[in-house]
Amino acid sequence: MKIVKTIKELRHLLPEGESKNKTVGFVPTMGALHRGHSSLVQRCSRECGVTVASIFVNPTQFNDKTDLARYPRSLEADVQLLQATGCDVVFAPDEKEIYPQPDTRLFDFGLLEKVMEGERRKGHFNGVAQVVSRLLDAVKPDCAYFGEKDFQQIAVVSEMVRQLGLPVEIVRCPIVREPDGLAMSSRNALLSPDQRAAAPLIAKTLFAAVDKVCSVDLPALKQFVASAINANEHLRLDYFEVVCARTLQPVASLDDDCAKQACIAVYAGEVRLIDNVRLA
Ligand code: PAF
């Protein structure tokens, strides 16, 4: 496995244009890797000739600077995990390499970014689009792999790829969970023992909502989820939304005729955890 820090070194290593004889797969990450990331890398290396993973904690997607400062960083362990999971090239640039000048581009994702994470974390998806477009431009992959825990991120990145006409397939990969159900996230490392013990209630409540969907209406489902989460002293519900899985717009009723996704964000102290599940 090769580790490079510059786009020039990366381009030197990767096949391109006429000489290209292998497909290139890409897994963008912010490091602090876990089994969710390994599953993306493993799938990428099964499906592509060359697997590239990036490690870059992108400042432009953090609307809260203390969140950026405390974001977990573990480069050595990350490199070991990538080595063990079949990654061929690690791209670990510094900030100047990705942003030689400040990126002032403003994307417009319409209603996709007006709900849930986009509504609460102003500028977050603009920052994600800035960095992902730069990384895609550097790696020039045929396929890029994203985990469905960040359900809205996949919708926004797919829309960005469509708007910019980028020749890359966005591959959605299922959420990987801890044995107790908690969705894998780099932020789980920030939980205190009490918060960690409480956190599986998030997935448990989502799965209970799936079981209830045929027997209650939308307000009752929302009430059930809010009560279940807020009853735990270590958790506080930020939002629970049932949205159309394609447009991400909240449904008016559980009888709406579309594939529905139940999406949740919960605070455990200062740590914000998100999760989602298909409802019907
Ligand atoms: O999902 C993430 O880890 C990040 O948002 C991404 C896609 C690597 C962009 O910084």
Side-chain angles (χ1 to χ4, degrees):
M1 186 177 77
K2 296 260 191 314
I3 304 174
V4 296
K5 289 184 179 306
T6 66
I7 297 172
K8 199 169 163 201
E9 292 170 284
L10 186 66
R11 292 299 349 134
H12 188 69
L13 280 178
L14 295 179
E16 189 179 354
E18 299 287 283
S19 65
K20 188 166 167 176
N21 54 359
K22 286 180 175 173
T23 52
V24 176
F26 177 43
V27 181
T29 84
M30 296 206 297
L33 304 182
H34 47 69
R35 278 199 293 115
H37 294 109
S38 326
S39 76
L40 301 181
V41 173
Q42 281 160 348
R43 176 158 174 197
C44 182
S45 70
R46 272 198 313 274
E47 295 180 356
C48 301
V50 182
T51 294
V52 183
S54 62
I55 299 177
F56 178 65
V57 182
N58 172 39
T60 72
Q61 71 187 75
F62 285 83
N63 52 331
D64 172 356
K65 293 302 160 204
T66 50
D67 193 23
L68 171 61
R70 68 162 182 244
Y71 197 83
R73 288 160 171 88
S74 53
L75 187 61
E76 251 179 56
D78 292 347
V79 167
Q80 278 177 20
L81 180 139
L82 290 170
Q83 173 100 57
T85 45
C87 181
D88 299 302
V89 180
V90 181
F91 178 43
D94 65 13
E95 199 176 328
K96 272 265 158 286
E97 186 67 15
I98 295 295
Y99 299 114
Q101 280 94 38
D103 191 337
T104 53
R105 287 175 301 163
L106 286 178
F107 292 84
D108 180 359
F109 298 117
L111 293 177
L112 275 185
E113 61 180 338
K114 303 271 183 299
V115 294
M116 300 191 291
E117 297 304 293
E119 185 185 0
R120 285 157 182 89
R121 302 174 67 191
K122 297 284 177 222
H124 168 66
F125 286 125
N126 201 65
V128 169
Q130 288 174 342
V131 76
V132 173
S133 67
R134 281 168 182 263
L135 291 169
L136 291 176
D137 192 46
V139 179
K140 304 191 192 312
D142 299 286
C143 301
Y145 293 75
F146 290 83
E148 283 192 320
K149 183 178 73 66
D150 296 296
F151 196 81
Q152 193 171 7
Q153 173 169 274
I154 300 188
V156 165
V157 167
S158 303
E159 175 59 13
M160 178 205 75
V161 162
R162 194 194 64 77
Q163 286 181 10
L164 299 179
L166 303 178
V168 59
E169 182 192 340
I170 301 299
V171 183
R172 326 171 64 100
C173 303
I175 296 176
V176 179
R177 297 182 180 279
E178 298 284 0
D180 59 15
L182 177 64
M184 295 239 170
S185 164
S186 304
R187 290 174 196 272
N188 294 352
L190 301 173
L191 297 170
S192 71
D194 283 344
Q195 291 163 350
R196 176 65 189 80
L201 183 63
I202 301 168
K204 198 170 157 220
T205 306
L206 278 184
F207 294 133
V210 173
D211 291 341
K212 279 185 174 296
V213 77
C214 293
S215 54
V216 297
D217 64 9
L218 184 56
L221 194 69
K222 288 190 161 193
Q223 185 53 52
F224 162 75
V225 170
S227 308
I229 298 293
N230 292 331
N232 187 296
E233 59 175 323
H234 300 291
L235 304 178
R236 180 166 50 87
L237 183 68
D238 187 12
Y239 66 79
F240 169 73
E241 293 285 2
V242 179
V243 299
C244 164
R246 190 177 51 81
T247 64
L248 300 194
Q249 298 314 294
V251 298
S253 150
L254 294 176
D255 298 328
D256 274 18
D257 187 20
C258 66
K260 289 179 272 299
Q261 202 77 14
C263 301
I264 195 167
V266 173
Y267 280 101
E270 298 295 302
V271 185
R272 195 159 174 285
L273 301 172
I274 59 173
D275 199 347
N276 65 84
V277 71
R278 180 56 58 96
L279 265 194

